């Protein structure tokens, strides 16, 4: 499994602590440094079963600068959202765990991390 993290994020650190406590085998991706491409974001969205606006941190300063809260949330706007996430990875919700079974979870709670571990 892989976990996308920002080391400054307390939810990410908590997820890593739980993965370590459970003896999980995982790879860390510091997604602010190793920025996912639009195709990688699309793939993760497919695994999550979510749309790009569902994993966007709209409270970030750059989100406000871009006016994301006013962007349409429809199929025609999907690529625009994905491009924004790829250009500004800080907008991506974290942590995201891609599980070995091909699914993924936004692991902001211990329960979500355990869900990923059970897959």
């Amino acid at each position: 499994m892989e976990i996308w993290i920002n080391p400054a994020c307390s939810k990410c650190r908590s997820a890593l602590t739980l993965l370590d406590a459970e003896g999980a085998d995982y790879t860390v991706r510091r997604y602010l440094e190793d920025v996912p491409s639009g195709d990688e974001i699309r793939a993760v969205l497919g695994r999550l079963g979510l749309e790009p606006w569902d994993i966007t941190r709209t409270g970030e300063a750059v989100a406000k600068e871009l006016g994301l809260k006013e962007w349409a949330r429809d199929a025609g706007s999907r690529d625009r959202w994905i491009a924004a996430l790829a250009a500004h990875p800080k907008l991506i919700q974290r942590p995201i765990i891609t599980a070995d079974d091909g699914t993924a979870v936004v692991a902001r709670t211990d329960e979500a991390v355990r869900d990923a571990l059970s897959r």
Side-chain angles (χ1 to χ4, degrees):
M1 82 178 43
E2 181 176 79
I3 181 169
W4 291 8
I5 68 155
N6 172 353
C9 168
S10 64
K11 301 277 187 195
C12 293
R13 291 191 307 270
S14 293
L16 292 174
T17 298
L18 182 54
L19 289 173
D20 289 341
E22 295 293 328
D25 182 24
Y26 64 92
T27 303
V28 171
R29 180 170 185 172
R30 294 178 180 219
Y31 72 94
L32 297 178
E33 298 163 15
D34 182 7
V35 179
S37 67
D39 286 342
E40 287 176 303
I41 293 168
R42 275 185 198 81
V44 164
L45 287 167
R47 292 173 82 165
L48 288 166
L50 296 174
E51 293 296 337
W53 45 85
D54 296 326
I55 66 162
T56 300
R57 298 172 56 85
T58 57
E60 294 288 338
V62 69
K64 292 175 183 163
E65 290 170 22
L66 294 171
L68 288 183
K69 287 190 178 182
E70 285 76 45
W71 287 16
R73 295 176 181 216
D74 58 27
S77 302
R78 192 170 198 268
D79 286 341
R80 182 181 187 199
W81 282 86
I82 291 170
L85 294 173
H88 307 282
K90 192 171 190 177
L91 293 173
I92 300 171
Q93 190 59 262
R94 62 196 183 240
I96 294 176
I97 296 176
T98 55
D100 293 336
D101 71 350
T103 63
V105 296
V106 178
R108 295 190 54 78
T109 65
D110 286 353
E111 188 174 272
V113 175
R114 286 189 179 93
D115 179 41
L117 285 167
S118 70
R119 295 176 183 204

